[in-house]
Amino acid sequence: MKCVRCKKKAVIVLRRHNAAFCADCFLHYYKNQVLKNIRKNRMFEKGEKVLAVVSGGKDSMALWDILVKEGYNVVAMYINLGIGEYSNRSQEVVEKFAKENNLPLIVKDIKKEFGLDIYKLSKTLRRSPCSVCGSIKRYLFNKVAYDGGFSAVATGHNLDDEAATLFGNVLNWEEGYLARQGPVLPQTHPKLIKKVKPLYTLTERENMYYVLLNKIEFLHEECPHSVGARSILYKEVLNKLEEESPGTKQRFLSGFLEKGKKHFQDVRERLELKECKNCGQVTTTEECSFCRFVRICNQQ
């Protein structure tokens, strides 16, 4: 099979685009997808400070690399969540990449800095570790970005992630989440920094190709707490549909963003935002989840 762009021998086939690429032309396609997503959705400009959240996995490492290569003003942030050796290995990957490429990196260790233990919190609150981690990460993403004067927080969410999230939210008619889903979560409060997803039109497989072709080291293992997650089930269902009808995920997500999301905007407007009585960060209650977590851990 030949590359659709240069007619050399293709090494990568993308069925959803009915296209095949050689290595160089795939990287050209990948770069154009990211730049188009940034421009189309007005995510950020070249001079603005962007906080790229990295985990050491292929998606976030691809995001970090492409934004740096395209000349954006990027600072990466890694959060050590205290998930045993998994977190330590993840941190080693991102620190090595930052050192080898002379890139700025912010590291937050929730146990050392705040005394937080996700396992104690999970047991005490009767919530899954993933739920606790999510709350902690969202808080720190925003706080670090706000305190550091960043214009946007960029994450490595890909097309598979976004389609699976949308699938789950539609199945359960989570109106609040449907109202917020999209490549850009705008700033709705002076202390809430805009969240963006430059890779939302690229698949996990395409991000894998990108890091392999660029010889970027990444953590191959998944978080141990992801086993049995509903999001994985949703991805498996969508993968079967994609196999039978290439482009299903893209049509599903783009159709929602273009035609469906507007019907949920009034749900978002009903949320009453407050400032936490302890830290001043934005919440919907008197005390934010993060401060509650710290208080609980300090009491034990």
Side-chain angles (χ1 to χ4, degrees), residues 103-131:
L103 299 173
L105 172 67
I106 298 170
V107 175
K108 291 289 181 181
D109 189 309
I110 66 166
K111 194 163 188 177
K112 291 180 181 178
E113 293 188 47
F114 309 103
L116 294 175
D117 186 316
I118 63 166
Y119 299 107
K120 288 183 180 178
L121 287 167
S122 176
K123 184 177 180 180
T124 301
L125 299 170
R126 296 181 181 179
R127 289 171 56 179
S128 70
C130 294
S131 174

Side-chain angles (χ1 to χ4, degrees), residues 172-287:
N172 296 289
W173 287 115
E174 296 283 1
E175 294 180 299
Y177 292 125
L178 288 168
R180 295 190 294 273
Q181 179 155 2
V184 175
L185 186 58
Q187 186 172 25
T188 55
H189 185 282
K191 289 187 175 181
L192 280 180
I193 306 304
K194 176 171 60 175
K195 312 299 188 301
V196 299
K197 303 170 184 176
L199 308 185
Y200 80 102
T201 61
L202 292 155
T203 65
E204 289 182 359
R205 181 166 166 261
E206 289 163 12
N207 289 335
M208 177 69 81
Y209 280 139
Y210 181 87
V211 294
L212 291 176
L213 290 173
N214 283 287
K215 296 181 172 58
I216 299 170
E217 185 178 343
F218 66 97
L219 191 69
H220 292 254
E221 63 190 283
E222 298 289 340
C223 174
H225 296 298
S226 66
V227 178
R230 285 190 179 183
S231 59
I232 294 179
L233 172 61
Y234 297 152
K235 284 185 178 182
E236 290 174 351
V237 171
L238 289 169
N239 284 340
K240 290 181 180 179
L241 292 171
E242 184 75 20
E243 187 175 345
E244 293 296 323
S245 180
T248 294
K249 296 176 189 176
Q250 185 172 326
R251 291 192 299 271
F252 180 46
L253 180 62
S254 62
F256 170 76
L257 295 176
E258 293 170 9
K259 302 175 183 179
K261 184 176 178 178
K262 60 186 177 182
H263 298 293
F264 298 93
Q265 293 310 295
D266 62 324
V267 176
R268 182 178 179 81
E269 293 169 2
R270 291 200 297 266
L271 291 174
E272 182 183 355
L273 298 178
K274 304 176 183 179
E275 292 187 13
C276 175
K277 64 181 181 180
N278 299 320
C279 68
Q281 286 296 297
V282 181
T283 180
T284 55
T285 57
E286 293 298 317
E287 182 182 44

Side-chain angles (χ1 to χ4, degrees), residues 30 34 37 43 58-60 62-63 66 155-159 197-203 207:
Y30 189 97
V34 175
N37 290 342
M43 293 182 177
K58 62 185 182 307
D59 303 302
S60 64
L63 172 70
I66 190 69
T155 60
H157 290 89
N158 56 53
L159 176 60
K197 303 170 184 176
L199 308 185
Y200 80 102
T201 61
L202 292 155
T203 65
N207 289 335

